[in-house]
């Protein structure tokens, strides 16, 4: 959360006041260590002992960022030896495991926190296992693969009283805070519509599953990599990157980039859970008038619309998501040679008194027309995060649950992730098909409709077949929590 100032003077939220009071009180008390404790308690320490699950690629850079703060990387876990090699070399004193379950079983007394940077389909089981041991968790975006998993992790963070953060680092950036200050000051009026877009996917989508299996790399534990996903033979180039385009493992362009691009709109407008979703999807034709049907693969492009109920007297909001290179109409206020967003990605807020835009991560916040940026001056009312997203989490975990504010704790990251996964639910419903009564082809009842969402019960109310995408059935031997 952030402390804000409005036109009526300085105002501090009750939550911030209580947090500050508790911190101040701590300065006048020395509490014996034996009276502290309980589930989720992390003993006072100057440094955080972090275990990494998935330590190659993004996981490698995540651990390097944590190490810039008061953190020690003490345990490494990865199913792919060559991908883990750089982290193993960088942190030679860290113990190494392949199975995160074995790692947590043997090392839980020697770690305070866990970073999860694995493919989307295993985020939830790994994070939940760590939280149930009272470990603080940092989980890469998107938080989970399924809506149900996102809801469960959000609830678990509060239940186990652990410090959480999702890996959408733009949430700690100055850009989104500048956008919030403009909006809170009424510069663009009330926003009823937002457009978010990306040039992703930059990996294959809208394709059939390869017909021929490939040999499993000798240094990859394929069974552990599959984790919760259905048993399948390994195929070429799935690992380490292209899994993003397959529904069994990834969440497509929306899951991959939405946490970076939708987050500014989510925070600026204080969006909650969506009330409905609808979509249109790019088609792939394999012959004349013959549309391909590849339900295992995310589509090459899509346009999703999520609707949100207004809060605190604000109007309802319609949020557009576009991927595959599709972009919204260029605002009239933007000059013909001025870049829209950051080019391939961006966000445009359409208000009753004006417009504003930004790029990925909320960078380059801009009022439209751009001349307004020289004319408008709004006081800084929202605290910045000079230490950055990663060290913010490290410091908060050392302080303990509820002691420091975070940019993307699960109470925020969970609903944001659910919003993106609602878009994916609509996209996947587009491919639901039923044989026609005459036996000649198929009907697609999930197309050209609006899916109505009952958020408290996590259920689509007007197309029951869509609900299969709310919660997966895990492969035998895997479950969410103990």
């Amino acid at each position: 959360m952030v402390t804000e100032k409005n036109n009526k003077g300085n105002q501090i939220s009750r939550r911030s006041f209580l947090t500050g009071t508790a911190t101040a009180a701590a300065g006048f008390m020395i509490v014996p260590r034996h009276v502290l404790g309980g589930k989720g308690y992390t003993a006072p320490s100057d440094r955080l002992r972090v275990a990494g699950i998935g330590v190659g690629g993004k996981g490698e850079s995540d651990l390097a960022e944590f190490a810039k703060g008061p953190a020690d990387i003490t345990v490494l876990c990865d199913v792919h030896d060559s991908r883990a090699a750089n982290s193993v070399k960088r942190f030679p004193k860290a113990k190494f495991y392949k199975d995160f379950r074995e790692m947590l079983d043997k090392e839980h007394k020697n770690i305070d926190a866990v970073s999860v940077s694995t493919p989307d389909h295993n985020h939830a089981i790994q994070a939940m296992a760590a939280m149930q041991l009272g470990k603080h968790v940092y989980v890469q975006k998107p938080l989970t693969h399924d809506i149900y998993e996102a809801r469960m992790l959000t609830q678990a963070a509060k239940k186990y009283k652990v410090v959480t953060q999702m890996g959408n680092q733009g949430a700690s950036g100055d850009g989104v805070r500048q956008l919030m200050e403009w909006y809170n000051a009424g510069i663009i009026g009330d926003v009823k519509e937002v457009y978010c877009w990306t040039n992703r996917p930059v990996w294959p989508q809208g394709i059939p599953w390869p017909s021929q299996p490939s040999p499993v790399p000798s240094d990859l534990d394929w069974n552990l990599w599959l984790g919760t996903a259905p048993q399948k033979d390994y195929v070429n180039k799935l690992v380490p990157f292209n899994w993003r385009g397959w529904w069994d493992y990834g969440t497509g362009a929306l899951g991959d980039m939405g946490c970076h691009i939708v987050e500014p709109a989510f925070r600026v407008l204080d969006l909650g859970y969506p009330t409905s979703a609808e979509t249109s999807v790019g088609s792939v034709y394999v012959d004349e008038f013959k549309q391909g049907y590849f339900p295992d693969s995310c589509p090459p492009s899509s346009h999703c619309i999520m609707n949100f109920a207004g809060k605190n007297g604000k109007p309802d909001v319609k949020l557009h998501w576009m991927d595959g290179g599709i972009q919204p109409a260029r605002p009239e206020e933007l000059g013909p040679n001025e870049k829209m967003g950051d080019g391939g990605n961006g966000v445009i807020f359409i208000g009753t008194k004006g417009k504003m835009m930004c790029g990925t991560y909320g960078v380059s916040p801009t009022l439209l027309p751009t001349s307004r940026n020289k004319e408008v001056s709004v006081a800084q009312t929202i605290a910045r995060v000079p230490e950055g997203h990663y060290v913010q989490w490290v410091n908060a975990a050392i302080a303990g649950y509820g002691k420091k504010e975070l940019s993307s704790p699960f109470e925020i990251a969970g609903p944001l992730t659910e919003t993106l996964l609602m878009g994916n639910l609509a996209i996947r419903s587009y491919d639901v098909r039923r044989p026609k009564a005459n036996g000649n082809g198929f009907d697609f009842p999930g197309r050209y409709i609006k899916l109505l969402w009952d958020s408290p019960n996590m259920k689509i109310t007007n197309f029951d077949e869509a609900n299969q995408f709310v919660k997966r059935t895990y492969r035998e031997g895997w479950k969410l929590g103990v």
Side-chain angles (χ1 to χ4, degrees):
M1 295 293 179
V2 292
T3 300
E4 296 184 18
K5 180 176 67 178
N6 64 16
N7 295 332
K8 296 180 180 179
N10 293 328
Q11 292 187 349
I12 302 176
S13 69
R14 181 175 182 272
R15 180 178 177 185
S16 298
F17 174 79
L18 292 175
T19 300
T21 304
T23 303
F28 298 99
M29 298 177 62
I30 299 177
V31 183
R33 184 168 176 173
H34 70 273
V35 305
L36 298 173
K39 201 153 194 176
Y41 167 70
T42 299
S45 173
D46 292 334
R47 300 189 67 81
L48 188 73
R49 300 171 298 172
V50 178
I53 303 177
V55 300
K58 188 58 184 172
E60 177 185 338
S61 62
D62 285 346
L63 295 180
E65 290 295 327
F66 297 136
K68 292 178 181 178
D72 296 317
I73 311 305
T74 58
V75 183
L76 303 173
C77 180
D78 203 294
V79 301
H80 201 172
D81 292 347
S82 59
R83 292 284 289 174
N86 287 341
S87 290
V88 170
K89 182 178 180 180
R90 183 179 186 123
F91 305 106
K93 294 182 180 179
K95 294 183 179 180
F96 184 81
Y97 292 85
K98 285 204 172 199
D99 192 328
F100 78 91
R101 298 166 297 183
E102 179 186 7
M103 182 269 285
L104 290 173
D105 182 55
K106 292 183 177 180
E107 302 293 341
H108 68 273
K109 294 182 179 180
N110 303 317
I111 59 176
D112 307 309
V114 174
S115 172
V116 176
S117 299
T118 55
D120 304 349
H121 67 292
N122 286 327
H123 282 185
I125 58 168
Q126 293 161 346
M128 182 67 81
M131 287 194 288
Q132 289 182 326
L133 290 171
K135 308 306 173 186
H136 309 301
V137 291
Y138 183 103
V139 181
Q140 258 307 324
K141 53 78 190 172
L143 184 61
T144 63
H145 184 280
D146 304 343
I147 293 172
Y148 174 81
E149 293 173 333
R151 189 72 61 90
M152 293 304 102
L153 289 197
T154 301
Q155 294 175 0
K158 183 176 182 180
K159 176 180 179 180
Y160 297 111
K161 300 186 184 305
V162 292
V163 176
T164 60
Q165 185 98 299
M166 184 170 70
N168 56 327
Q169 60 268 33
S172 290
D174 292 353
V176 68
R177 287 160 175 76
Q178 177 68 83
L179 293 166
M180 291 173 67
E181 288 163 349
W182 284 336
Y183 189 64
N184 293 344
I187 300 301
I188 67 167
D190 290 335
V191 168
K192 297 181 180 180
E193 201 157 19
V194 186
Y195 286 87
C196 305
W197 72 93
T198 183
N199 56 10
R200 278 6 179 230
V202 292
W203 52 85
Q205 289 192 182
I207 58 175
W209 182 258
S211 58
Q212 295 297 323
S214 299
V216 178
S218 59
D219 65 338
L220 171 67
D221 189 317
W222 177 235
N223 180 62
L224 289 178
W225 189 95
L226 279 175
T228 62
Q231 182 64 50
K232 284 186 178 180
D233 290 332
Y234 180 82
V235 294
N236 191 37
K237 293 187 176 181
L238 181 70
V239 176
F241 191 72
N242 291 344
W243 54 264
R244 290 165 172 79
W246 301 101
W247 290 123
D248 281 343
Y249 322 114
T251 49
L254 181 48
D256 187 78
M257 289 301 291
C259 291
H260 294 317
I261 296 174
V262 175
E263 195 273 343
F266 204 83
R267 190 176 301 259
V268 168
L269 303 177
D270 191 25
L271 301 178
Y273 295 108
T275 58
S276 64
E278 53 190 297
T279 190
S280 56
V281 172
S283 301
V284 176
Y285 279 78
V286 296
D287 206 341
E288 297 173 5
F289 296 98
K290 184 178 181 181
Q291 185 174 340
Y293 181 69
F294 310 123
D296 294 332
S297 179
C298 308
S301 61
S302 66
H303 176 193
C304 297
I305 301 172
M306 277 77 81
N307 295 285
F308 300 84
K311 294 181 179 179
N312 302 318
K314 295 291 187 179
D316 293 351
V317 176
K318 179 177 291 187
L319 186 147
H320 297 259
W321 168 265
M322 300 172 171
D323 59 43
I326 300 172
Q327 296 191 355
R330 186 179 186 82
E332 293 180 0
E333 297 88 343
L334 192 62
N337 292 325
E338 292 180 316
K339 185 182 294 184
M340 190 168 75
D342 58 31
N345 313 275
V347 185
I348 294 175
F349 298 80
I350 300 177
T352 54
K353 297 180 180 179
K355 298 173 185 176
M356 61 186 184
M357 71 177 183
C358 65
T360 312
Y361 312 114
V363 300
S364 303
T366 305
L367 292 169
L368 300 179
T370 55
S371 59
R372 294 195 75 191
N373 294 277
K374 297 179 180 179
E375 302 166 355
V376 174
S377 178
V378 174
Q380 181 176 310
T381 58
I382 301 174
R384 277 20 179 193
V385 186
E387 70 271 31
H389 200 63
Y390 293 89
V391 176
Q392 182 195 54
W393 173 73
V394 170
N395 290 337
I398 291 173
Y401 179 76
K403 297 297 179 63
K404 287 183 178 290
E405 302 290 350
L406 291 115
S407 298
S408 194
F410 290 1
E411 64 187 86
I412 296 174
L416 169 59
T417 299
E418 283 196 38
T419 294
L420 309 179
L421 298 179
M422 262 298 296
N424 276 344
L425 180 147
I427 290 172
R428 299 191 72 179
S429 296
Y430 199 83
D431 271 341
V432 170
R433 67 182 188 181
R434 301 171 185 164
K436 290 185 176 180
N438 61 9
N440 185 20
F442 297 88
D443 288 320
F444 292 86
R447 298 182 180 182
Y448 320 121
I449 64 173
K450 177 186 287 188
L451 300 176
L452 304 180
W453 181 239
D454 176 0
S455 177
N457 295 304
M458 289 185 287
K459 184 178 181 180
I460 295 294
T461 59
N462 63 321
F463 181 55
D464 190 57
E465 286 165 281
N467 290 309
Q468 64 184 295
F469 306 120
V470 173
K471 178 184 178 183
R472 285 178 296 151
T473 298
Y474 290 167
R475 187 163 59 112
E476 186 175 356
W478 300 88
K479 59 183 179 179
L480 184 63
V482 297

